[in-house]
mmCIF file of all heavy atoms in Angstrom:
data_model
loop_
_atom_site.group_PDB
_atom_site.id
_atom_site.type_symbol
_atom_site.label_atom_id
_atom_site.label_comp_id
_atom_site.label_asym_id
_atom_site.label_seq_id
_atom_site.Cartn_x
_atom_site.Cartn_y
_atom_site.Cartn_z
ATOM 1 N N TYR A 340 17.461 9.033 13.495
ATOM 2 C CA TYR A 340 16.611 9.193 12.320
ATOM 3 C C TYR A 340 16.389 10.674 12.058
ATOM 4 O O TYR A 340 16.143 11.436 12.994
ATOM 5 C CB TYR A 340 15.244 8.541 12.540
ATOM 6 C CG TYR A 340 15.243 7.056 12.297
ATOM 7 C CD1 TYR A 340 15.412 6.167 13.349
ATOM 8 C CD2 TYR A 340 15.074 6.547 11.015
ATOM 9 C CE1 TYR A 340 15.404 4.795 13.128
ATOM 10 C CE2 TYR A 340 15.068 5.186 10.787
ATOM 11 C CZ TYR A 340 15.234 4.313 11.842
ATOM 12 O OH TYR A 340 15.225 2.971 11.620
ATOM 13 N N GLY A 351 19.843 22.878 -1.042
ATOM 14 C CA GLY A 351 20.971 22.387 -1.827
ATOM 15 C C GLY A 351 21.725 21.248 -1.158
ATOM 16 O O GLY A 351 22.461 20.518 -1.815
ATOM 17 N N GLN A 352 21.552 21.103 0.157
ATOM 18 C CA GLN A 352 22.313 20.089 0.904
ATOM 19 C C GLN A 352 21.524 18.781 0.968
ATOM 20 O O GLN A 352 20.387 18.765 1.405
ATOM 21 C CB GLN A 352 22.600 20.595 2.325
ATOM 22 C CG GLN A 352 23.402 19.636 3.203
ATOM 23 C CD GLN A 352 24.827 19.442 2.697
ATOM 24 O OE1 GLN A 352 25.559 20.399 2.517
ATOM 25 N NE2 GLN A 352 25.197 18.194 2.448
ATOM 26 N N ASN A 353 22.166 17.693 0.547
ATOM 27 C CA ASN A 353 21.571 16.366 0.671
ATOM 28 C C ASN A 353 22.407 15.565 1.670
ATOM 29 O O ASN A 353 23.281 16.125 2.316
ATOM 30 C CB ASN A 353 21.540 15.685 -0.710
ATOM 31 C CG ASN A 353 20.393 14.669 -0.850
ATOM 32 O OD1 ASN A 353 19.901 14.124 0.137
ATOM 33 N ND2 ASN A 353 19.984 14.434 -2.074
ATOM 34 N N HIS A 354 22.128 14.255 1.815
ATOM 35 C CA HIS A 354 22.899 13.396 2.742
ATOM 36 C C HIS A 354 22.829 13.986 4.156
ATOM 37 O O HIS A 354 23.836 14.106 4.861
ATOM 38 C CB HIS A 354 24.364 13.314 2.266
ATOM 39 C CG HIS A 354 25.070 12.061 2.717
ATOM 40 N ND1 HIS A 354 26.391 11.825 2.454
ATOM 41 C CD2 HIS A 354 24.641 10.991 3.423
ATOM 42 C CE1 HIS A 354 26.753 10.667 2.962
ATOM 43 N NE2 HIS A 354 25.702 10.127 3.554
ATOM 44 N N GLY A 367 29.288 8.330 14.787
ATOM 45 C CA GLY A 367 29.457 6.988 14.244
ATOM 46 C C GLY A 367 28.206 6.140 14.130
ATOM 47 O O GLY A 367 28.184 5.178 13.369
ATOM 48 N N ILE A 368 27.157 6.462 14.887
ATOM 49 C CA ILE A 368 25.967 5.596 14.890
ATOM 50 C C ILE A 368 25.220 5.685 13.561
ATOM 51 O O ILE A 368 25.370 6.656 12.824
ATOM 52 C CB ILE A 368 25.014 5.963 16.049
ATOM 53 C CG1 ILE A 368 24.505 7.412 15.905
ATOM 54 C CG2 ILE A 368 25.706 5.756 17.394
ATOM 55 C CD1 ILE A 368 23.407 7.775 16.895
ATOM 56 N N THR A 371 20.003 7.916 9.609
ATOM 57 C CA THR A 371 19.184 7.575 8.457
ATOM 58 C C THR A 371 18.140 8.641 8.198
ATOM 59 O O THR A 371 17.362 8.971 9.081
ATOM 60 C CB THR A 371 18.475 6.223 8.704
ATOM 61 O OG1 THR A 371 19.466 5.246 9.028
ATOM 62 C CG2 THR A 371 17.698 5.786 7.479
ATOM 63 N N ARG A 372 18.142 9.158 6.983
ATOM 64 C CA ARG A 372 17.094 10.103 6.603
ATOM 65 C C ARG A 372 15.918 9.364 5.985
ATOM 66 O O ARG A 372 16.093 8.529 5.090
ATOM 67 C CB ARG A 372 17.628 11.127 5.590
ATOM 68 C CG ARG A 372 16.532 12.028 5.050
ATOM 69 C CD ARG A 372 17.036 13.079 4.070
ATOM 70 N NE ARG A 372 15.921 13.652 3.342
ATOM 71 C CZ ARG A 372 15.873 13.837 2.026
ATOM 72 N NH1 ARG A 372 16.920 13.518 1.284
ATOM 73 N NH2 ARG A 372 14.809 14.352 1.448
ATOM 74 N N GLU A 374 12.239 9.990 4.036
ATOM 75 C CA GLU A 374 11.439 10.991 3.316
ATOM 76 C C GLU A 374 10.084 10.391 2.972
ATOM 77 O O GLU A 374 10.012 9.324 2.366
ATOM 78 C CB GLU A 374 12.174 11.441 2.045
ATOM 79 C CG GLU A 374 11.404 12.477 1.232
ATOM 80 C CD GLU A 374 10.376 11.870 0.304
ATOM 81 O OE1 GLU A 374 10.728 10.904 -0.399
ATOM 82 O OE2 GLU A 374 9.221 12.344 0.289
ATOM 83 N N HIS A 386 9.587 4.330 12.545
ATOM 84 C CA HIS A 386 10.719 3.399 12.410
ATOM 85 C C HIS A 386 11.580 3.384 13.667
ATOM 86 O O HIS A 386 12.103 2.333 14.064
ATOM 87 C CB HIS A 386 11.528 3.727 11.159
ATOM 88 C CG HIS A 386 10.803 3.362 9.898
ATOM 89 N ND1 HIS A 386 10.703 2.070 9.450
ATOM 90 C CD2 HIS A 386 10.092 4.102 9.028
ATOM 91 C CE1 HIS A 386 9.972 2.033 8.343
ATOM 92 N NE2 HIS A 386 9.595 3.259 8.060
ATOM 93 N N ALA A 393 11.371 -3.571 19.157
ATOM 94 C CA ALA A 393 11.899 -4.887 18.794
ATOM 95 C C ALA A 393 13.179 -5.228 19.563
ATOM 96 O O ALA A 393 13.703 -6.327 19.428
ATOM 97 C CB ALA A 393 12.168 -4.929 17.296
ATOM 98 N N SER A 421 6.200 18.500 -5.739
ATOM 99 C CA SER A 421 6.927 17.267 -6.069
ATOM 100 C C SER A 421 6.447 16.085 -5.237
ATOM 101 O O SER A 421 6.790 14.943 -5.517
ATOM 102 C CB SER A 421 8.436 17.467 -5.895
ATOM 103 O OG SER A 421 8.757 17.607 -4.518
ATOM 104 N N GLY A 423 3.298 15.423 -5.103
ATOM 105 C CA GLY A 423 2.136 14.955 -5.872
ATOM 106 C C GLY A 423 2.605 14.143 -7.067
ATOM 107 O O GLY A 423 3.800 13.852 -7.200
ATOM 108 N N LEU A 425 3.794 14.066 -10.403
ATOM 109 C CA LEU A 425 4.353 15.062 -11.309
ATOM 110 C C LEU A 425 3.861 14.879 -12.742
ATOM 111 O O LEU A 425 3.403 15.828 -13.375
ATOM 112 C CB LEU A 425 5.887 14.975 -11.269
ATOM 113 C CG LEU A 425 6.614 16.105 -11.974
ATOM 114 C CD1 LEU A 425 6.545 17.375 -11.150
ATOM 115 C CD2 LEU A 425 8.075 15.729 -12.222
ATOM 116 N N SER A 535 0.099 3.342 3.445
ATOM 117 C CA SER A 535 0.273 4.104 2.209
ATOM 118 C C SER A 535 -0.901 3.926 1.261
ATOM 119 O O SER A 535 -1.776 3.084 1.468
ATOM 120 C CB SER A 535 1.591 3.708 1.534
ATOM 121 O OG SER A 535 1.625 2.321 1.301
ATOM 122 N N THR A 669 0.811 8.755 2.181
ATOM 123 C CA THR A 669 1.423 8.212 3.396
ATOM 124 C C THR A 669 0.651 8.747 4.588
ATOM 125 O O THR A 669 0.260 9.919 4.594
ATOM 126 C CB THR A 669 2.897 8.651 3.529
ATOM 127 O OG1 THR A 669 3.642 8.174 2.404
ATOM 128 C CG2 THR A 669 3.532 8.072 4.805
ATOM 129 N N TYR B 239 10.750 -0.791 1.439
ATOM 130 C CA TYR B 239 11.761 0.268 1.536
ATOM 131 C C TYR B 239 12.227 0.647 0.146
ATOM 132 O O TYR B 239 12.467 -0.221 -0.688
ATOM 133 C CB TYR B 239 12.979 -0.222 2.323
ATOM 134 C CG TYR B 239 12.807 -0.141 3.821
ATOM 135 C CD1 TYR B 239 12.379 -1.244 4.546
ATOM 136 C CD2 TYR B 239 13.076 1.034 4.495
ATOM 137 C CE1 TYR B 239 12.218 -1.165 5.921
ATOM 138 C CE2 TYR B 239 12.928 1.120 5.862
ATOM 139 C CZ TYR B 239 12.500 0.016 6.577
ATOM 140 O OH TYR B 239 12.352 0.110 7.923
ATOM 141 N N GLY B 250 12.261 15.353 -10.612
ATOM 142 C CA GLY B 250 11.186 16.246 -10.168
ATOM 143 C C GLY B 250 10.191 15.567 -9.240
ATOM 144 O O GLY B 250 9.439 16.245 -8.541
ATOM 145 N N GLN B 251 10.166 14.240 -9.237
ATOM 146 C CA GLN B 251 9.182 13.507 -8.430
ATOM 147 C C GLN B 251 9.755 13.185 -7.053
ATOM 148 O O GLN B 251 10.821 12.596 -6.948
ATOM 149 C CB GLN B 251 8.787 12.208 -9.152
ATOM 150 C CG GLN B 251 7.762 11.359 -8.415
ATOM 151 C CD GLN B 251 6.390 12.025 -8.341
ATOM 152 O OE1 GLN B 251 5.829 12.422 -9.354
ATOM 153 N NE2 GLN B 251 5.875 12.189 -7.130
ATOM 154 N N ASN B 252 9.031 13.555 -6.014
ATOM 155 C CA ASN B 252 9.406 13.204 -4.647
ATOM 156 C C ASN B 252 8.342 12.239 -4.105
ATOM 157 O O ASN B 252 7.489 11.799 -4.849
ATOM 158 C CB ASN B 252 9.506 14.482 -3.802
ATOM 159 C CG ASN B 252 10.502 14.355 -2.653
ATOM 160 O OD1 ASN B 252 10.800 13.259 -2.174
ATOM 161 N ND2 ASN B 252 11.026 15.472 -2.205
ATOM 162 N N HIS B 253 8.410 11.927 -2.820
ATOM 163 C CA HIS B 253 7.414 11.033 -2.187
ATOM 164 C C HIS B 253 7.377 9.706 -2.937
ATOM 165 O O HIS B 253 6.316 9.153 -3.239
ATOM 166 C CB HIS B 253 6.027 11.714 -2.223
ATOM 167 C CG HIS B 253 5.103 11.242 -1.135
ATOM 168 N ND1 HIS B 253 3.802 11.642 -1.024
ATOM 169 C CD2 HIS B 253 5.298 10.378 -0.098
ATOM 170 C CE1 HIS B 253 3.229 11.063 0.023
ATOM 171 N NE2 HIS B 253 4.128 10.296 0.602
ATOM 172 N N GLY B 266 -1.100 -0.446 0.463
ATOM 173 C CA GLY B 266 -1.394 -0.029 1.828
ATOM 174 C C GLY B 266 -0.281 -0.202 2.843
ATOM 175 O O GLY B 266 -0.305 0.437 3.891
ATOM 176 N N ILE B 267 0.705 -1.058 2.559
ATOM 177 C CA ILE B 267 1.743 -1.321 3.560
ATOM 178 C C ILE B 267 2.665 -0.116 3.745
ATOM 179 O O ILE B 267 2.742 0.744 2.872
ATOM 180 C CB ILE B 267 2.586 -2.561 3.178
ATOM 181 C CG1 ILE B 267 3.315 -2.339 1.840
ATOM 182 C CG2 ILE B 267 1.708 -3.812 3.120
ATOM 183 C CD1 ILE B 267 4.325 -3.422 1.511
ATOM 184 N N THR B 270 8.590 3.264 2.729
ATOM 185 C CA THR B 270 9.495 4.248 3.311
ATOM 186 C C THR B 270 10.703 4.475 2.417
ATOM 187 O O THR B 270 11.413 3.534 2.076
ATOM 188 C CB THR B 270 9.974 3.756 4.687
ATOM 189 O OG1 THR B 270 8.828 3.466 5.495
ATOM 190 C CG2 THR B 270 10.840 4.801 5.366
ATOM 191 N N ARG B 271 10.936 5.730 2.073
ATOM 192 C CA ARG B 271 12.148 6.067 1.314
ATOM 193 C C ARG B 271 13.270 6.421 2.280
ATOM 194 O O ARG B 271 13.099 7.237 3.182
ATOM 195 C CB ARG B 271 11.893 7.249 0.388
ATOM 196 C CG ARG B 271 13.168 7.719 -0.304
ATOM 197 C CD ARG B 271 12.955 8.874 -1.270
ATOM 198 N NE ARG B 271 14.233 9.487 -1.602
ATOM 199 C CZ ARG B 271 14.471 10.786 -1.627
ATOM 200 N NH1 ARG B 271 13.488 11.637 -1.364
ATOM 201 N NH2 ARG B 271 15.669 11.244 -1.919
ATOM 202 N N GLU B 273 17.228 7.865 2.373
ATOM 203 C CA GLU B 273 18.249 8.573 1.582
ATOM 204 C C GLU B 273 19.529 8.650 2.385
ATOM 205 O O GLU B 273 19.522 9.110 3.535
ATOM 206 C CB GLU B 273 17.751 9.975 1.210
ATOM 207 C CG GLU B 273 18.739 10.796 0.387
ATOM 208 C CD GLU B 273 19.800 11.497 1.228
ATOM 209 O OE1 GLU B 273 19.399 12.127 2.233
ATOM 210 O OE2 GLU B 273 21.004 11.391 0.914
ATOM 211 N N HIS B 285 17.937 -1.493 7.199
ATOM 212 C CA HIS B 285 16.715 -1.296 7.988
ATOM 213 C C HIS B 285 15.703 -2.419 7.733
ATOM 214 O O HIS B 285 14.989 -2.836 8.650
ATOM 215 C CB HIS B 285 16.117 0.084 7.710
ATOM 216 C CG HIS B 285 16.943 1.189 8.320
ATOM 217 N ND1 HIS B 285 16.906 1.470 9.658
ATOM 218 C CD2 HIS B 285 17.859 2.027 7.796
ATOM 219 C CE1 HIS B 285 17.752 2.453 9.933
ATOM 220 N NE2 HIS B 285 18.344 2.813 8.811
ATOM 221 N N ALA B 292 14.202 -8.590 13.906
ATOM 222 C CA ALA B 292 13.548 -8.299 15.176
ATOM 223 C C ALA B 292 12.147 -8.905 15.256
ATOM 224 O O ALA B 292 11.488 -8.809 16.283
ATOM 225 C CB ALA B 292 13.475 -6.787 15.380
ATOM 226 N N SER B 320 25.626 17.552 -3.990
ATOM 227 C CA SER B 320 24.772 17.839 -2.833
ATOM 228 C C SER B 320 24.961 16.819 -1.712
ATOM 229 O O SER B 320 24.488 17.013 -0.598
ATOM 230 C CB SER B 320 23.300 17.903 -3.248
ATOM 231 O OG SER B 320 22.817 16.617 -3.594
ATOM 232 N N GLY B 322 27.954 16.167 -0.686
ATOM 233 C CA GLY B 322 29.120 16.709 0.017
ATOM 234 C C GLY B 322 28.679 17.869 0.916
ATOM 235 O O GLY B 322 27.485 18.143 1.047
ATOM 236 N N LEU B 324 27.915 21.306 1.273
ATOM 237 C CA LEU B 324 27.630 22.386 0.339
ATOM 238 C C LEU B 324 28.270 23.705 0.764
ATOM 239 O O LEU B 324 28.943 24.365 -0.022
ATOM 240 C CB LEU B 324 26.115 22.555 0.225
ATOM 241 C CG LEU B 324 25.643 23.480 -0.887
ATOM 242 C CD1 LEU B 324 25.795 22.817 -2.234
ATOM 243 C CD2 LEU B 324 24.193 23.898 -0.673
ATOM 244 N N SER B 434 28.255 5.987 10.528
ATOM 245 C CA SER B 434 28.338 7.308 9.919
ATOM 246 C C SER B 434 29.595 8.058 10.359
ATOM 247 O O SER B 434 30.313 7.630 11.262
ATOM 248 C CB SER B 434 27.083 8.130 10.229
ATOM 249 O OG SER B 434 26.888 8.222 11.620
ATOM 250 N N THR B 568 28.502 7.944 5.262
ATOM 251 C CA THR B 568 27.670 6.776 5.569
ATOM 252 C C THR B 568 28.349 5.546 4.988
ATOM 253 O O THR B 568 28.901 5.609 3.884
ATOM 254 C CB THR B 568 26.262 6.897 4.941
ATOM 255 O OG1 THR B 568 25.614 8.058 5.457
ATOM 256 C CG2 THR B 568 25.403 5.670 5.265
#
Side-chain angles (χ1 to χ4, degrees):
Chain A
Y340 278 95
Q352 181 67 55
N353 208 335
H354 205 183
I368 62 172
T371 305
R372 173 179 165 227
E374 180 276 313
H386 288 283
S421 69
L425 190 74
S535 56
T669 300
Chain B
Y239 278 95
Q251 180 67 54
N252 209 335
H253 206 184
I267 62 171
T270 305
R271 174 178 165 226
E273 180 277 312
H285 288 283
S320 70
L324 190 74
S434 56
T568 300

